[in-house]
Amino acid sequence: MVKRVLTHLALLTGAAVMLAPFILMLSISLKPPGEVFSPHFALLPTQWYAVENYTAAFTKVPLLRFLLNGLFVTLCIFAAQALTALPMAYALAKLRWRGREAAFSMVVLALLIPPQVPAIPLYIGLWQLGLLNTYAAIILPSTISVFGIFLMRQFFRTVPDDLIAAARMDGLSEWAIVWRIMLPTAAPAIAAFACLSFIWNWNEFFWPLIAVQEEHLMTPPLGIAFFSNAEAGTSFGPLMAAATVVTAPLALAFLLAQRAFIEGVTMTGVK
């Protein structure tokens, strides 16, 4: 009994620590400027300033355009990652060919490389192709996900070989097996990967910052940066309101995909 109480207490403490920044962000988005810098902290404002802050968040910058850009970019990236990760993972998990283990070792090694390392070659290549300041400049470098390949490969290893052998006896090609057999089977893993891909690419700040300069192409993290001004002073109320609006889709996506996410992550470690 004592052990259970201590476990729940530790979990509640951890949850409180993780939720505290988001609660503070929401609290500041409801306050007027005078209360933001008040020496006495209060979670709820004495004067509600939510309408003004959230209105400023959408009017000072084209925040809605940034949100639509983020949605478009993340959906395109996930679609490209899924189209490339599924056949690659199938080849690594179920096909027998010389160099397969070496190729998988390269995939694992690639997981250790920070995304900032290839930034300069990618930038030069996109510049030579004339693709800078386009949606393609944001999307193309992320079309292949090494983590997606690794995750799908681990899941495909749990699929019985007899199922694939039966599909081959029915005359299905390897390509057809990927999309007609493995794709429906891997739905939980795909849901988990979709959630992670959406969160990662929605929050991506580094690459869009150097790939695009036009305001109408910017993603939500870049849009939030417009509220930070070292000379005129940062508008913390609208800044936190914009951050709340940008964070809300992530929380909603995770809540909707929570069960599939947990199932997918769990099943990838079965074998």
Side-chain angles (χ1 to χ4, degrees), residues 46-270:
T46 55
Q47 178 187 353
W48 290 84
Y49 214 71
V51 175
E52 292 81 353
N53 285 336
Y54 282 88
T55 300
F58 280 93
T59 55
K60 283 189 175 182
V61 299
L63 184 59
L64 182 59
R65 177 59 185 256
F66 298 151
L67 294 172
L68 293 176
N69 287 343
L71 182 62
F72 174 74
V73 167
T74 52
L75 290 178
C76 289
I77 289 176
F78 170 69
Q81 289 176 342
L83 287 173
T84 54
L86 285 170
M88 291 180 184
Y90 174 74
L92 290 171
K94 293 301 182 182
L95 299 183
R96 301 291 183 266
W97 46 282
R98 181 177 297 179
R100 185 185 71 166
E101 297 303 322
F104 180 67
S105 298
M106 295 295 291
V107 170
V108 175
L109 181 63
L111 288 171
L112 305 177
I113 301 176
Q116 290 79 12
V117 171
I120 294 178
L122 285 172
Y123 184 88
I124 295 174
L126 291 170
W127 170 70
Q128 291 176 339
L129 293 173
L131 294 177
L132 290 177
N133 275 322
T134 64
Y135 288 117
I138 306 176
I139 296 170
L140 287 177
S142 300
T143 52
I144 297 178
S145 171
V146 179
F147 175 75
I149 297 171
F150 174 80
L151 184 71
M152 291 298 110
R153 185 258 185 186
Q154 295 301 104
F155 185 89
F156 285 164
R157 292 185 65 198
T158 66
V159 177
D161 292 336
D162 293 341
L163 179 63
I164 298 174
R168 289 171 180 160
M169 291 181 63
D170 288 340
L172 291 181
S173 64
E174 300 298 333
W175 189 255
I177 291 174
V178 172
W179 302 112
R180 296 177 60 181
I181 304 297
M182 306 304 286
L183 175 59
T185 305
I190 293 174
F193 176 57
C195 189
L196 293 172
S197 176
F198 180 77
I199 292 173
W200 173 262
N201 292 295
W202 182 270
N203 287 329
E204 177 63 27
F205 180 80
F206 172 76
W207 179 249
L209 179 65
I210 63 177
V212 298
Q213 284 78 44
E214 300 293 335
E215 184 178 283
H216 70 278
L217 296 173
M218 292 183 175
T219 54
L222 296 182
I224 293 178
F226 279 101
F227 293 99
S228 179
N229 192 320
E231 296 179 358
T234 300
S235 301
F236 284 100
L239 173 63
M240 293 297 104
T244 301
V245 172
V246 170
T247 306
L250 300 180
L252 181 62
F254 180 77
L255 290 175
L256 292 176
Q258 182 179 10
R259 179 174 298 179
F261 174 80
I262 295 174
E263 182 182 354
V265 173
T266 303
M267 293 185 69
T268 53
V270 170

